[in-house]
Amino acid sequence: MATVLIVYGSTTGNTEFLAQGIAAILMNKYGHTVTVKDVAGTSVEDLGHGYDLTMLGSSTWGDDGIEFQEDFAPFYEDLHRADLKNKSVAIFGCGDSSYEHFCGAVDLLEEMMAQLGARVMGVPLRIDGDPAGAQADIQQWVDDIAQSL
Ligand SMILES: Cc1cc2nc3c(=O)[nH]c(=O)nc-3n(C[C@H](O)[C@H](O)[C@H](O)COP(=O)(O)O)c2cc1C
């Protein structure tokens, strides 16, 4: 059994719904112990200690460039200080493929994790539109990660 921390940022509730769905699969299907935190109440010092896997999720905003979800933005600014070297990390987020930078926040998180030397598990999950309509993709993504934990 593994311990998992999920930190998410969400404005309209989509990434929160996704985070809770991921947590439910990890707990109910795999028996892992999962802590879900809103990024608004989380500091980067909370990462990397006491968890086998850290999952980070943000939606993407902005019209011209890539903007993180508003609560996630200050957290991302501090993320370079996170002690995630050699730690297992998974990344997810909601977006809309009609925008130029589809799930751009997920791309930036992936780059940051590479800079920190974290071990990113699998291909980051990018949900286009309402995550309630992507249950099969979510299930497959969690299965792939859970089986390599
Ligand atoms: C003003 C605005 C800008 C957005 N910009 C992007 C974007 O650049 N890339 C993207 O993939 N999605 C973009 N989106 C879509 C949101 O990321 C999407 O609605 C997401 O599901 C919101 O998730 P949340 O409720 O967890 O915050 C934008 C939405 C709005 C309203």
PDB file of all heavy atoms in Angstrom, residues 38-62:
ATOM      1  N   ASP A  38      -6.292  21.206  -1.641  1.00  0.00           N
ATOM      2  CA  ASP A  38      -6.427  22.376  -2.504  1.00  0.00           C
ATOM      3  C   ASP A  38      -5.111  23.143  -2.437  1.00  0.00           C
ATOM      4  O   ASP A  38      -4.591  23.402  -1.339  1.00  0.00           O
ATOM      5  CB  ASP A  38      -7.587  23.232  -1.983  1.00  0.00           C
ATOM      6  CG  ASP A  38      -7.936  24.389  -2.910  1.00  0.00           C
ATOM      7  OD1 ASP A  38      -7.050  24.884  -3.626  1.00  0.00           O
ATOM      8  OD2 ASP A  38      -9.097  24.803  -2.894  1.00  0.00           O
ATOM      9  N   VAL A  39      -4.573  23.506  -3.589  1.00  0.00           N
ATOM     10  CA  VAL A  39      -3.275  24.197  -3.605  1.00  0.00           C
ATOM     11  C   VAL A  39      -3.334  25.506  -2.802  1.00  0.00           C
ATOM     12  O   VAL A  39      -2.307  25.975  -2.298  1.00  0.00           O
ATOM     13  CB  VAL A  39      -2.824  24.455  -5.067  1.00  0.00           C
ATOM     14  CG1 VAL A  39      -3.672  25.562  -5.724  1.00  0.00           C
ATOM     15  CG2 VAL A  39      -1.340  24.780  -5.152  1.00  0.00           C
ATOM     16  N   ALA A  40      -4.533  26.077  -2.676  1.00  0.00           N
ATOM     17  CA  ALA A  40      -4.670  27.343  -1.954  1.00  0.00           C
ATOM     18  C   ALA A  40      -4.215  27.211  -0.503  1.00  0.00           C
ATOM     19  O   ALA A  40      -3.817  28.200   0.107  1.00  0.00           O
ATOM     20  CB  ALA A  40      -6.110  27.844  -2.026  1.00  0.00           C
ATOM     21  N   GLY A  41      -4.256  26.018   0.051  1.00  0.00           N
ATOM     22  CA  GLY A  41      -3.826  25.835   1.435  1.00  0.00           C
ATOM     23  C   GLY A  41      -2.568  25.011   1.544  1.00  0.00           C
ATOM     24  O   GLY A  41      -2.323  24.377   2.576  1.00  0.00           O
ATOM     25  N   THR A  42      -1.753  24.997   0.502  1.00  0.00           N
ATOM     26  CA  THR A  42      -0.592  24.109   0.448  1.00  0.00           C
ATOM     27  C   THR A  42       0.660  24.912   0.133  1.00  0.00           C
ATOM     28  O   THR A  42       0.624  25.834  -0.686  1.00  0.00           O
ATOM     29  CB  THR A  42      -0.796  23.045  -0.659  1.00  0.00           C
ATOM     30  OG1 THR A  42      -2.051  22.411  -0.467  1.00  0.00           O
ATOM     31  CG2 THR A  42       0.303  22.000  -0.632  1.00  0.00           C
ATOM     32  N   SER A  43       1.781  24.577   0.798  1.00  0.00           N
ATOM     33  CA  SER A  43       3.040  25.223   0.439  1.00  0.00           C
ATOM     34  C   SER A  43       3.981  24.180  -0.176  1.00  0.00           C
ATOM     35  O   SER A  43       3.818  22.972   0.051  1.00  0.00           O
ATOM     36  CB  SER A  43       3.685  25.895   1.659  1.00  0.00           C
ATOM     37  OG  SER A  43       4.516  24.993   2.324  1.00  0.00           O
ATOM     38  N   VAL A  44       4.962  24.645  -0.936  1.00  0.00           N
ATOM     39  CA  VAL A  44       5.857  23.682  -1.608  1.00  0.00           C
ATOM     40  C   VAL A  44       6.674  22.892  -0.600  1.00  0.00           C
ATOM     41  O   VAL A  44       7.148  21.796  -0.911  1.00  0.00           O
ATOM     42  CB  VAL A  44       6.794  24.373  -2.632  1.00  0.00           C
ATOM     43  CG1 VAL A  44       6.006  24.975  -3.776  1.00  0.00           C
ATOM     44  CG2 VAL A  44       7.684  25.397  -1.972  1.00  0.00           C
ATOM     45  N   GLU A  45       6.802  23.401   0.617  1.00  0.00           N
ATOM     46  CA  GLU A  45       7.524  22.662   1.662  1.00  0.00           C
ATOM     47  C   GLU A  45       6.758  21.393   2.074  1.00  0.00           C
ATOM     48  O   GLU A  45       7.329  20.497   2.691  1.00  0.00           O
ATOM     49  CB  GLU A  45       7.762  23.554   2.891  1.00  0.00           C
ATOM     50  CG  GLU A  45       8.935  24.517   2.758  1.00  0.00           C
ATOM     51  CD  GLU A  45       8.639  25.692   1.822  1.00  0.00           C
ATOM     52  OE1 GLU A  45       7.453  26.026   1.627  1.00  0.00           O
ATOM     53  OE2 GLU A  45       9.610  26.260   1.259  1.00  0.00           O
ATOM     54  N   ASP A  46       5.461  21.340   1.755  1.00  0.00           N
ATOM     55  CA  ASP A  46       4.660  20.150   2.082  1.00  0.00           C
ATOM     56  C   ASP A  46       4.953  18.995   1.122  1.00  0.00           C
ATOM     57  O   ASP A  46       4.507  17.867   1.354  1.00  0.00           O
ATOM     58  CB  ASP A  46       3.153  20.469   1.992  1.00  0.00           C
ATOM     59  CG  ASP A  46       2.728  21.525   2.989  1.00  0.00           C
ATOM     60  OD1 ASP A  46       3.402  21.661   4.023  1.00  0.00           O
ATOM     61  OD2 ASP A  46       1.723  22.222   2.725  1.00  0.00           O
ATOM     62  N   LEU A  47       5.655  19.262   0.031  1.00  0.00           N
ATOM     63  CA  LEU A  47       5.868  18.237  -1.005  1.00  0.00           C
ATOM     64  C   LEU A  47       7.100  17.386  -0.690  1.00  0.00           C
ATOM     65  O   LEU A  47       8.078  17.880  -0.123  1.00  0.00           O
ATOM     66  CB  LEU A  47       6.058  18.885  -2.382  1.00  0.00           C
ATOM     67  CG  LEU A  47       4.946  19.789  -2.896  1.00  0.00           C
ATOM     68  CD1 LEU A  47       5.290  20.286  -4.300  1.00  0.00           C
ATOM     69  CD2 LEU A  47       3.608  19.070  -2.908  1.00  0.00           C
ATOM     70  N   GLY A  48       7.023  16.129  -1.120  1.00  0.00           N
ATOM     71  CA  GLY A  48       8.222  15.301  -1.148  1.00  0.00           C
ATOM     72  C   GLY A  48       8.547  14.582   0.143  1.00  0.00           C
ATOM     73  O   GLY A  48       9.466  13.778   0.191  1.00  0.00           O
ATOM     74  N   HIS A  49       7.798  14.851   1.213  1.00  0.00           N
ATOM     75  CA  HIS A  49       8.104  14.188   2.483  1.00  0.00           C
ATOM     76  C   HIS A  49       6.919  13.336   2.916  1.00  0.00           C
ATOM     77  O   HIS A  49       5.804  13.837   3.023  1.00  0.00           O
ATOM     78  CB  HIS A  49       8.398  15.218   3.579  1.00  0.00           C
ATOM     79  CG  HIS A  49       9.461  16.188   3.172  1.00  0.00           C
ATOM     80  ND1 HIS A  49      10.796  15.861   3.167  1.00  0.00           N
ATOM     81  CD2 HIS A  49       9.378  17.449   2.718  1.00  0.00           C
ATOM     82  CE1 HIS A  49      11.491  16.892   2.718  1.00  0.00           C
ATOM     83  NE2 HIS A  49      10.658  17.874   2.440  1.00  0.00           N
ATOM     84  N   GLY A  50       7.198  12.063   3.169  1.00  0.00           N
ATOM     85  CA  GLY A  50       6.158  11.206   3.726  1.00  0.00           C
ATOM     86  C   GLY A  50       5.174  10.640   2.714  1.00  0.00           C
ATOM     87  O   GLY A  50       4.178  10.027   3.116  1.00  0.00           O
ATOM     88  N   TYR A  51       5.433  10.837   1.446  1.00  0.00           N
ATOM     89  CA  TYR A  51       4.531  10.295   0.423  1.00  0.00           C
ATOM     90  C   TYR A  51       5.345   9.510  -0.611  1.00  0.00           C
ATOM     91  O   TYR A  51       6.435   9.934  -1.003  1.00  0.00           O
ATOM     92  CB  TYR A  51       3.768  11.415  -0.288  1.00  0.00           C
ATOM     93  CG  TYR A  51       2.859  12.194   0.640  1.00  0.00           C
ATOM     94  CD1 TYR A  51       3.267  13.408   1.174  1.00  0.00           C
ATOM     95  CD2 TYR A  51       1.609  11.696   0.991  1.00  0.00           C
ATOM     96  CE1 TYR A  51       2.449  14.125   2.040  1.00  0.00           C
ATOM     97  CE2 TYR A  51       0.772  12.395   1.849  1.00  0.00           C
ATOM     98  CZ  TYR A  51       1.196  13.611   2.371  1.00  0.00           C
ATOM     99  OH  TYR A  51       0.384  14.316   3.227  1.00  0.00           O
ATOM    100  N   ASP A  52       4.788   8.395  -1.044  1.00  0.00           N
ATOM    101  CA  ASP A  52       5.444   7.620  -2.104  1.00  0.00           C
ATOM    102  C   ASP A  52       5.247   8.275  -3.459  1.00  0.00           C
ATOM    103  O   ASP A  52       6.071   8.106  -4.359  1.00  0.00           O
ATOM    104  CB  ASP A  52       4.856   6.206  -2.144  1.00  0.00           C
ATOM    105  CG  ASP A  52       5.070   5.474  -0.828  1.00  0.00           C
ATOM    106  OD1 ASP A  52       6.234   5.407  -0.389  1.00  0.00           O
ATOM    107  OD2 ASP A  52       4.079   5.012  -0.237  1.00  0.00           O
ATOM    108  N   LEU A  53       4.149   8.999  -3.617  1.00  0.00           N
ATOM    109  CA  LEU A  53       3.840   9.636  -4.898  1.00  0.00           C
ATOM    110  C   LEU A  53       3.169  10.981  -4.636  1.00  0.00           C
ATOM    111  O   LEU A  53       2.285  11.081  -3.782  1.00  0.00           O
ATOM    112  CB  LEU A  53       2.883   8.740  -5.716  1.00  0.00           C
ATOM    113  CG  LEU A  53       2.257   9.347  -6.974  1.00  0.00           C
ATOM    114  CD1 LEU A  53       3.332   9.673  -8.007  1.00  0.00           C
ATOM    115  CD2 LEU A  53       1.226   8.373  -7.575  1.00  0.00           C
ATOM    116  N   THR A  54       3.607  11.994  -5.378  1.00  0.00           N
ATOM    117  CA  THR A  54       2.979  13.311  -5.328  1.00  0.00           C
ATOM    118  C   THR A  54       2.332  13.566  -6.681  1.00  0.00           C
ATOM    119  O   THR A  54       2.992  13.426  -7.719  1.00  0.00           O
ATOM    120  CB  THR A  54       4.035  14.406  -5.052  1.00  0.00           C
ATOM    121  OG1 THR A  54       4.664  14.117  -3.802  1.00  0.00           O
ATOM    122  CG2 THR A  54       3.388  15.789  -4.995  1.00  0.00           C
ATOM    123  N   MET A  55       1.052  13.963  -6.675  1.00  0.00           N
ATOM    124  CA  MET A  55       0.353  14.263  -7.928  1.00  0.00           C
ATOM    125  C   MET A  55      -0.014  15.739  -7.925  1.00  0.00           C
ATOM    126  O   MET A  55      -0.573  16.245  -6.944  1.00  0.00           O
ATOM    127  CB  MET A  55      -0.907  13.396  -8.061  1.00  0.00           C
ATOM    128  CG  MET A  55      -0.609  11.914  -7.948  1.00  0.00           C
ATOM    129  SD  MET A  55      -2.121  10.905  -8.032  1.00  0.00           S
ATOM    130  CE  MET A  55      -1.969  10.239  -9.677  1.00  0.00           C
ATOM    131  N   LEU A  56       0.324  16.420  -9.016  1.00  0.00           N
ATOM    132  CA  LEU A  56       0.073  17.858  -9.120  1.00  0.00           C
ATOM    133  C   LEU A  56      -0.883  18.116 -10.280  1.00  0.00           C
ATOM    134  O   LEU A  56      -0.648  17.650 -11.400  1.00  0.00           O
ATOM    135  CB  LEU A  56       1.389  18.605  -9.365  1.00  0.00           C
ATOM    136  CG  LEU A  56       2.472  18.453  -8.284  1.00  0.00           C
ATOM    137  CD1 LEU A  56       3.759  19.134  -8.733  1.00  0.00           C
ATOM    138  CD2 LEU A  56       1.999  19.029  -6.954  1.00  0.00           C
ATOM    139  N   GLY A  57      -1.947  18.911 -10.011  1.00  0.00           N
ATOM    140  CA  GLY A  57      -2.920  19.171 -11.062  1.00  0.00           C
ATOM    141  C   GLY A  57      -3.332  20.624 -11.120  1.00  0.00           C
ATOM    142  O   GLY A  57      -3.661  21.230 -10.097  1.00  0.00           O
ATOM    143  N   SER A  58      -3.309  21.191 -12.325  1.00  0.00           N
ATOM    144  CA  SER A  58      -3.753  22.575 -12.512  1.00  0.00           C
ATOM    145  C   SER A  58      -4.479  22.701 -13.846  1.00  0.00           C
ATOM    146  O   SER A  58      -4.058  22.114 -14.845  1.00  0.00           O
ATOM    147  CB  SER A  58      -2.555  23.530 -12.509  1.00  0.00           C
ATOM    148  OG  SER A  58      -2.982  24.859 -12.795  1.00  0.00           O
ATOM    149  N   SER A  59      -5.507  23.515 -13.857  1.00  0.00           N
ATOM    150  CA  SER A  59      -6.102  23.900 -15.130  1.00  0.00           C
ATOM    151  C   SER A  59      -5.264  25.019 -15.746  1.00  0.00           C
ATOM    152  O   SER A  59      -4.363  25.562 -15.099  1.00  0.00           O
ATOM    153  CB  SER A  59      -7.552  24.343 -14.939  1.00  0.00           C
ATOM    154  OG  SER A  59      -7.645  25.343 -13.952  1.00  0.00           O
ATOM    155  N   THR A  60      -5.547  25.328 -17.013  1.00  0.00           N
ATOM    156  CA  THR A  60      -4.796  26.357 -17.755  1.00  0.00           C
ATOM    157  C   THR A  60      -5.724  27.514 -18.093  1.00  0.00           C
ATOM    158  O   THR A  60      -6.869  27.301 -18.512  1.00  0.00           O
ATOM    159  CB  THR A  60      -4.239  25.760 -19.066  1.00  0.00           C
ATOM    160  OG1 THR A  60      -3.424  24.631 -18.755  1.00  0.00           O
ATOM    161  CG2 THR A  60      -3.409  26.802 -19.827  1.00  0.00           C
ATOM    162  N   TRP A  61      -5.237  28.732 -17.909  1.00  0.00           N
ATOM    163  CA  TRP A  61      -6.004  29.940 -18.209  1.00  0.00           C
ATOM    164  C   TRP A  61      -5.155  30.864 -19.049  1.00  0.00           C
ATOM    165  O   TRP A  61      -4.014  30.536 -19.383  1.00  0.00           O
ATOM    166  CB  TRP A  61      -6.468  30.601 -16.898  1.00  0.00           C
ATOM    167  CG  TRP A  61      -7.433  29.720 -16.158  1.00  0.00           C
ATOM    168  CD1 TRP A  61      -7.117  28.623 -15.382  1.00  0.00           C
ATOM    169  CD2 TRP A  61      -8.858  29.781 -16.184  1.00  0.00           C
ATOM    170  NE1 TRP A  61      -8.264  28.015 -14.929  1.00  0.00           N
ATOM    171  CE2 TRP A  61      -9.344  28.713 -15.394  1.00  0.00           C
ATOM    172  CE3 TRP A  61      -9.770  30.646 -16.791  1.00  0.00           C
ATOM    173  CZ2 TRP A  61     -10.704  28.481 -15.201  1.00  0.00           C
ATOM    174  CZ3 TRP A  61     -11.127  30.425 -16.576  1.00  0.00           C
ATOM    175  CH2 TRP A  61     -11.578  29.345 -15.793  1.00  0.00           C
ATOM    176  N   GLY A  62      -5.742  32.000 -19.393  1.00  0.00           N
ATOM    177  CA  GLY A  62      -4.971  32.968 -20.187  1.00  0.00           C
ATOM    178  C   GLY A  62      -5.389  32.931 -21.637  1.00  0.00           C
ATOM    179  O   GLY A  62      -5.720  31.874 -22.166  1.00  0.00           O
TER     180      GLY A  62
END
